[in-house]
């Protein structure tokens, strides 16, 4: 197979293949959205389960393969696949989502040109809502999403935050910038020494690709991300002039502070992504958005937990203060008691509604939002 079948080993719940305990040399592997039965490296049979991703494969003596499967419009589901007749049985869904599929957008993977004569990839979601259609004379706004990690990848499972925006008229691009997992070792290693460069280039190139092909409005390009994806978001706004607005969810603003005070598991992670610290401290300063606020020209909203130990809340506060001082429309939403990633349902909902509210004001469109959201989101420098 010429595609990478695994995920980063620091993610739990992987196991993209398993061997047949009753037949040496026979195994089943998950790749490109399908389950494939192999024997001694030769493909025997392919199973289309109706899902696009399969994890935690378990090949039983009975000849059935058990796994967790999901897709862009289906929640994680425990299934079994009979390798003799291909019959798929749904055993249990992880949760019940009572939303009509007419509100769900299915992604298409796109490949586009980026810097240094190379290619990058993204999952493209069209605006989808069975009750509405966009005006014939208008193109939709775009939300580019930068995944975390940063050496992770855009997930292909049902992402309700993405569907939140696509059902409200946004196109969404979930970018697998160079360095992402899933496209082979060479592609995965491209982010070495290039974090803050290639991820930024690829997110900008992805947005420009859709705009050039008249799929989105070039004047309504937005970007968001959390943690490492929040860093990419901030870097795009600090070092490029592509996006009209952005949202940082507990994003890294100070790379030097991250190198000094990160947790044990990632203690030398940045040595490979940026450079050896402190010997190459100058690179950390050069690529830190917090030291390059002068480059900010687009409005931004910050969402931050007050108990975050990975990205201390003072980073978001300092970024907000600096952008506000420049006279750029900006907002800071602090969630009391939240850490690195939001857990309380009311805060998750406020972050989604607040981001849409912010974009609606900056891009000047009407949005159907719950009462009271304007009381929770205060925008400085906005008339």
């Amino acid at each position: 197979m010429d595609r990478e079948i695994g995920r980063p080993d620091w993610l739990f719940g992987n196991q993209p293949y398993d061997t047949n305990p009753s037949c040496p040399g026979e195994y089943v592997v998950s790749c490109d959205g399908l389950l494939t039965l192999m024997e001694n490296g030769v493909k025997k049979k392919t199973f289309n389960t109706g899902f696009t991703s399969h994890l935690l494969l378990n090949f039983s003596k009975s000849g059935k393969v058990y796994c967790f499967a999901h897709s862009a419009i289906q929640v994680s589901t425990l299934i079994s696949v009979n390798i003799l007749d291909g019959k798929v049985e749904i055993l249990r869904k992880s949760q019940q989502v009572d939303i009509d599929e007419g509100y769900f957008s299915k992604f298409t993977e796109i490949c586009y040109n980026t810097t240094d004569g190379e290619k990058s990839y993204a999952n493209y979601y069209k605006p989808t809502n069975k009750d509405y259609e966009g005006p014939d004379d208008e193109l939709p706004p775009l939300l580019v999403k930068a995944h975390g990690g940063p050496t992770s990848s855009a997930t292909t499972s049902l992402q309700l935050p993405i569907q939140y925006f696509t059902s409200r008229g946004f196109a969404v691009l979930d970018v697998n910038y160079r360095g992402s997992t899933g496209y082979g070792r060479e592609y995965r290693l491209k982010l070495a020494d290039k974090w803050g460069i290639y991820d930024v280039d690829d997110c900008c190139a992805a947005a420009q690709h859709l705009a050039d092909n008249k799929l989105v409005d070039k004047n309504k390009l937005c970007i968001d991300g959390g943690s490492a994806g929040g860093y990419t978001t901030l870097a795009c706004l600090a070092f490029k002039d592509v996006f009209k607005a952005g949202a940082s969810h507990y994003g890294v603003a100070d790379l030097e502070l991250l190198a000094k005070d990160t947790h044990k598991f990632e203690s030398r992670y940045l040595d490979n992504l940026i450079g050896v610290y402190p010997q190459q401290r100058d690179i950390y300063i050069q690529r830190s958005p917090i030291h390059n606020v002068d480059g900010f020209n687009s409005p931004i909203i910050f969402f931050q937990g007050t108990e975050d130990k990975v990205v201390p809340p003072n980073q978001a506060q300092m970024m907000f203060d600096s952008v506000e001082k420049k006279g750029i429309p900006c907002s800071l939403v602090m969630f009391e008691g939240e850490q690195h990633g939001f857990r309380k349902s009311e805060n998750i909902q406020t972050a989604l509604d607040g981001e849409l509210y912010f974009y609606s004001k900056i891009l000047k469109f009407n949005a159907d939002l719950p009462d009271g959201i304007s009381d929770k989101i205060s925008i400085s420098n906005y008339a």
Side-chain angles (χ1 to χ4, degrees):
M1 288 191 165
D2 59 0
R3 286 289 294 268
E4 201 167 50
I5 64 170
R7 299 195 303 169
D9 285 339
W10 40 262
L11 290 176
F12 295 115
N14 200 349
Q15 195 167 324
Y17 66 91
D18 197 21
T19 57
N20 187 344
S22 303
C23 182
E26 188 174 69
Y27 56 96
V28 66
V29 60
S30 172
C31 186
D32 286 338
L34 301 171
L35 284 179
T36 301
L37 184 67
M38 310 279 291
E39 185 170 11
N40 297 321
V42 178
K43 184 186 296 186
K44 292 181 65 177
K45 192 184 297 185
T46 296
F47 307 100
N48 186 347
T49 66
F51 296 84
T52 57
S53 182
H54 309 83
L55 297 171
L56 284 174
L57 274 60
N58 187 288
F59 210 141
S60 69
K61 291 183 179 180
S62 67
K64 289 185 177 181
V65 175
Y66 295 87
C67 65
F68 284 100
H70 56 244
S71 75
I73 61 171
Q74 298 176 91
V75 298
S76 182
T77 303
L78 178 62
I79 67 171
S80 69
V81 182
N82 189 316
I83 64 168
L84 296 179
D85 59 16
K87 181 181 179 181
V88 177
E89 182 179 0
I90 294 178
L91 303 176
R92 185 182 293 271
K93 292 180 179 291
S94 60
Q95 59 180 305
Q96 191 65 38
V97 177
D98 296 320
I99 302 175
D100 192 298
E101 288 190 9
Y103 300 111
F104 285 156
S105 176
K106 298 179 181 179
F107 72 83
T108 301
E109 186 182 58
I110 65 169
C111 177
Y112 57 93
N113 296 322
T114 187
T115 55
D116 294 341
E118 297 187 332
K119 303 283 187 181
S120 191
Y121 305 89
N123 295 333
Y124 167 50
Y125 296 79
K126 294 180 180 179
T128 304
N129 187 312
K130 69 173 187 176
D131 299 325
Y132 298 94
E133 289 187 9
D136 292 335
D137 59 345
E138 289 186 27
L139 293 172
L142 172 68
L143 177 60
V144 168
K145 300 191 77 68
H147 67 69
T151 53
S152 184
S153 61
T155 180
T156 59
S157 64
L158 173 61
Q159 297 294 300
L160 292 178
I162 287 179
Q163 303 296 340
Y164 175 95
F165 281 98
T166 57
S167 64
R168 288 160 174 80
F170 272 77
V172 172
L173 261 184
D174 208 357
V175 178
N176 277 315
Y177 47 77
R178 282 169 288 181
S180 300
T181 301
Y183 299 90
R185 180 180 177 84
E186 181 181 357
Y187 190 83
R188 189 174 70 248
L189 295 179
K190 285 185 179 293
L191 205 60
D193 299 325
K194 297 292 187 178
W195 191 32
I197 297 178
Y198 277 173
D199 51 319
V200 171
D201 288 346
D202 294 357
C203 284
C204 292
Q208 291 172 326
H209 173 77
L210 288 195
D212 291 344
N213 284 278
K214 309 300 182 184
L215 295 173
V216 298
D217 190 332
K218 65 180 181 180
N219 295 313
K220 295 180 180 179
L221 307 179
C222 306
I223 184 170
D224 77 3
S227 192
Y231 165 72
T232 299
T233 295
L234 293 172
C236 282
L237 297 177
F239 303 118
K240 302 290 184 178
D241 191 25
V242 172
F243 298 100
K244 304 304 179 183
S248 170
H249 297 254
Y250 41 93
V252 176
D254 189 336
L255 293 172
E256 182 177 28
L257 181 59
L258 183 65
K260 286 181 176 179
D261 198 31
T262 192
H263 49 92
K264 182 178 180 181
F265 184 69
E266 293 185 348
S267 60
R268 308 306 301 182
Y269 190 24
L270 299 188
D271 285 6
N272 174 261
L273 295 172
I274 299 173
V276 179
Y277 185 86
Q279 293 91 322
Q280 294 176 287
R281 178 177 179 268
D282 58 324
I283 300 177
Y284 284 73
I285 301 300
Q286 291 169 11
R287 296 188 196 171
S288 291
I290 205 164
H291 297 298
N292 292 276
V293 178
D294 287 345
F296 273 80
N297 294 301
S298 297
I300 183 169
I301 184 169
F302 299 89
F303 297 97
Q304 179 70 43
T306 62
E307 301 298 323
D308 194 332
K309 303 300 182 184
V310 178
V311 179
N314 69 312
Q315 287 198 35
Q317 184 68 59
M318 290 172 64
M319 287 295 302
F320 170 76
D321 291 342
S322 298
V323 174
E324 183 185 41
K325 188 176 180 180
K326 284 195 67 178
I328 298 171
C330 56
S331 181
L332 172 62
V333 182
M334 286 285 192
F335 292 123
E336 191 67 34
E338 291 282 18
Q339 300 182 30
H340 196 63
F342 308 139
R343 303 294 186 267
K344 298 178 182 177
S345 59
E346 61 268 26
N347 294 338
I348 294 172
Q349 187 66 55
T350 296
L352 278 170
D353 292 336
E355 186 172 344
L356 179 61
Y357 172 78
F358 185 77
Y359 295 151
S360 74
K361 295 302 179 183
I362 300 305
L363 302 181
K364 301 189 184 305
F365 63 83
N366 295 322
D368 185 11
L369 288 159
D371 295 336
I373 190 63
S374 60
D375 297 329
K376 298 178 182 179
I377 309 297
S378 175
I379 306 177
S380 296
N381 301 321
Y382 178 80

